[in-house]
Every structure is written in C-alpha cells, then in structure tokens.
Amino acid sequence: MSKLSIPAQSHSRRKVLGMMAAGLSASTMAGSAHASDQLKVAAIFATPIEEPWDNQIHVALLKAQKELGIDYKWSEKVETADFSRVMTEYAKGGYGLVLGDAFAAERESRKTAKQFPQTAFLFGSGSGPADPNFGVFDNWIHEPAYLSGLIAGKMSKSGVVGAVAAMGIPEVNRLVNAFFQGATESHPQVKKKVAFIGSFFDPPKAKEAALAQIDAGADVIYAERFGVIEACKEKGKLAISNMSDQSELGPDTVITGPVWDMYPTVQQAIKLVKAGVFTAQDYGDFSRMAKGGSYLAPYHNFEEKLPADIKDMVAKRQAEIIDGNFRVDVNENTPVSD
C-alpha cells in the first residue's frame, strides 16, 4: 500500500480504512460448517487477515471454535461498498453473532444491524454502541505498552528510544504515548524518536523508518508495526513487539511487548448471546489487563538477561494496574520526536 499523507489528529482508523478500502476486494467466506444446533458466529474484516489488529480477533474466534464449540466463518478484505451485503448474508444465514472491523463502514454497518434485531453485532468502532444490538470494542492495550516503556527506558544504553507506528490517529497515539510515558518514568532524561509510516501494513517502510531511528541513536524501538523487528535484528538493537507475542521473529532482539487478547471479549459476547441477553454496549473494558484482555508478552530469551530490579519494577507496577491502584494515562495526542 502506498503511503498516505495524513494530518495529525485528523483521522481515525475508521477514516483511514475507508481510504484504503478502494484497494481491497471482497473475499469469499472462509471457514468450516458444523451442526445446525451450534451457535453460528461470523467475522467481517476490512483488511487482509494478516493485518495484526484483525488477526487478533480472528485468533480469538478460532480459540472459541475449539473451546466453545461455535460454528465460525469469516470474510476478509471486505470493501465498504460490500459491507452491508456481507452482514446481510450472515444475518439471513442464521448467524447469531457477527463480529469484525467496522471502522471503514460505520454508517453501513449500523444501518444494516437495525434491520436484523435478532442478530447480535459486535464491531471494532470509533463510536459508541447503538441500540438494540450493535456493540463496540477497541484494542485498549495501552497498559502493557506502558510497562514495555518502563523496560525500554531502563534497557537503553544510548538514552534514545524510538517508536515506529502506523499513523497519528487516536487508536495508535495512545499506545505510543503510553510507551513513552513508561520510558520517561524509568529514564527521565531519555530522548524520544517517533515515525509514522502512513499504513497499517507496510513492513518495508516500517523497517526503513526503524533504520533511520537507529542511525539517530535509538537502541530500543517499539515495533507498533511489522518490519521494525527485522531492522533491529540486523543492527543488533532491541525491540518491543506489539499486538501479539513476536519473540520468534527475533529471539535475541524482542524483549517483550503488549499483547491484545480478544478472547475475553469474544467469550463474554458468546455467553450473552447464548443466554439471550446480549445488549448494545461498549465491550472495551474486556481488552484491559484486569479483564485478561491484554498483557505483557513473556520475556523468553530475556528472562535471564533482564536485571532483577527491572523485572521487579515491572511486576510491581503491573500488580498495581490490575488492582486498580495505578492508572496509565490515555493520551491520544499525536506524539513528536524530541
């Protein structure tokens, strides 16, 4: 995908995906069919399934298929113009719960949901829920992003930490700002470098931006997008992953990173649908650490490399977050480099 020129604070994931939708085509429905007495659950994704945000939803639904016995099907690369049609097909096909990414199709998805009040809809959205049956969620993983920043600040030898992210939209900004909040707390004199690649999925551009930050002195970089870890691995620098546990991409490069676990959200939604009590509400809290919806990835090869005082510091603050005794700032302003 080509780089988009986006003014800071002017776009959300919803608007950006709308711009990108013209380059995507609706996919065929994929998945497996099971007995008719199972709860039928579908997912509709605007991007390719490899895109990390949508992939975490998909992973959670595959887990639900295995552990909760649902009948799961999905559609990926669905254009805004096709969104209503795909929703309608699933609703008419007897699917009791339909999830996915509605950022690029807010108007279409909400209008269609009203036509099928007996179907529960739960979508990633930049707006609130809509009665009677349109619930919303988002990836509120700023808490483990902050914890990752605590580690980055302590592990930086140069005193320069970086972040390479998709673009300056609220959903991304709050993660990068939380990361920098942690880094500054653990290393008050740290200098920050931030770069936006103008795309949700462009590993070569992310790698290029990371290499530029390394040239500018960064020795620990938050890989909010794919491509950064490769650059850090090549240059012998450290990386913080994002969205999923990506240690295998660089076992001696990736220290840890925030992980978004959509399963608590999916599990709650399925429970309510089966009980016949699903309502239009914001399910965002199920992505927070206290609900098990996000966490810090295991240290893996860094379990022995990280100094004990750093691990103790992180463990203490993590416990405070989960207990509700510490609140990570939600700062959605576009961050800038020092």
Side-chain angles (χ1 to χ4, degrees):
M1 301 177 186
S2 60
K3 184 173 182 178
L4 301 175
S5 184
I6 301 171
Q9 297 293 359
S10 64
H11 290 77
S12 66
R13 180 181 173 93
R14 172 177 69 255
K15 292 181 180 178
V16 173
L17 284 172
M19 296 175 188
M20 296 168 64
L24 301 175
S25 59
S27 72
T28 57
M29 295 180 185
S32 57
H34 298 287
S36 60
D37 59 343
Q38 292 175 304
L39 174 64
K40 298 174 71 174
V41 179
I44 306 173
F45 302 121
T47 68
I49 202 67
E50 292 82 7
E51 194 271 321
W53 201 95
D54 280 339
N55 187 254
Q56 291 304 101
I57 304 171
H58 179 60
V59 168
L61 287 166
L62 289 175
K63 182 177 179 180
Q65 182 180 44
K66 180 179 179 180
E67 298 190 0
L68 303 179
I70 63 170
D71 174 356
Y72 171 49
K73 288 187 179 181
W74 70 92
S75 299
E76 61 179 336
K77 298 185 289 186
V78 179
E79 295 181 6
T80 299
D82 287 327
F83 220 86
S84 179
R85 175 185 61 78
V86 178
M87 286 178 67
T88 298
E89 289 179 0
Y90 280 130
K92 288 184 175 181
Y95 285 81
L97 174 62
V98 180
L99 300 92
D101 177 357
F103 286 97
E106 292 277 4
R107 183 180 302 174
E108 295 80 3
S109 60
R110 291 166 184 271
K111 182 179 179 180
T112 304
K114 288 183 179 295
Q115 299 173 21
F116 300 97
Q118 301 306 312
T119 301
F121 294 93
L122 180 57
F123 282 90
S125 169
S127 301
D131 290 331
N133 60 333
F134 192 90
V136 298
F137 63 87
D138 203 348
N139 67 327
W140 291 90
I141 61 173
H142 57 294
E143 295 164 329
Y146 159 81
L147 295 176
S148 299
L150 288 177
I151 296 171
K154 284 291 188 182
M155 292 296 287
S156 176
K157 295 179 180 179
S158 67
V160 181
V161 299
V164 175
M167 54 201 73
I169 58 176
E171 298 89 334
V172 172
N173 291 342
R174 64 174 178 249
L175 304 186
V176 176
N177 284 323
F179 170 76
F180 285 143
Q181 178 188 342
T184 302
E185 182 178 321
S186 65
H187 190 158
Q189 288 77 43
V190 76
K191 293 185 180 298
K192 307 181 293 291
K193 300 293 181 184
V194 61
F196 297 105
I197 64 170
S199 172
F200 288 121
F201 193 72
D202 193 337
K205 193 175 293 290
K207 180 180 179 180
E208 179 183 353
L211 290 172
Q213 290 189 351
I214 291 170
D215 288 342
D219 59 355
V220 186
I221 303 179
Y222 179 23
E224 199 275 332
R225 291 291 115 182
F226 281 163
V228 176
I229 294 172
E230 183 180 356
C232 291
K233 184 177 179 180
E234 288 182 6
K235 295 295 184 177
K237 306 302 179 182
L238 299 175
I240 299 294
S241 58
N242 189 53
M243 214 79 79
S244 61
D245 183 354
Q246 297 164 14
S247 175
E248 63 180 14
L249 298 180
D252 295 315
T253 301
V254 179
I255 305 172
T256 183
V259 176
W260 184 28
D261 188 347
M262 259 292 287
Y263 190 68
T265 304
V266 167
Q267 188 177 38
Q268 176 70 4
I270 290 173
K271 175 184 176 181
L272 295 179
V273 171
K274 285 185 174 181
V277 294
F278 180 91
T279 58
Q281 59 182 287
D282 189 337
Y283 289 74
D285 277 350
F286 287 92
S287 288
R288 295 181 184 265
M289 293 186 74
K291 296 284 189 179
S294 59
Y295 57 90
L296 198 62
Y299 295 133
H300 297 294
N301 284 14
F302 284 85
E303 186 65 50
E304 302 300 325
K305 297 178 183 180
L306 279 179
D309 63 324
I310 295 180
K311 290 191 288 186
D312 290 344
M313 172 187 64
V314 172
K316 179 181 178 181
R317 188 47 57 83
Q318 177 175 284
E320 292 174 342
I321 291 172
I322 293 174
D323 291 341
N325 295 320
F326 182 85
R327 188 173 182 85
V328 179
D329 292 341
V330 176
N331 180 355
E332 297 184 339
N333 295 317
T334 301
V336 295
S337 300
D338 291 331

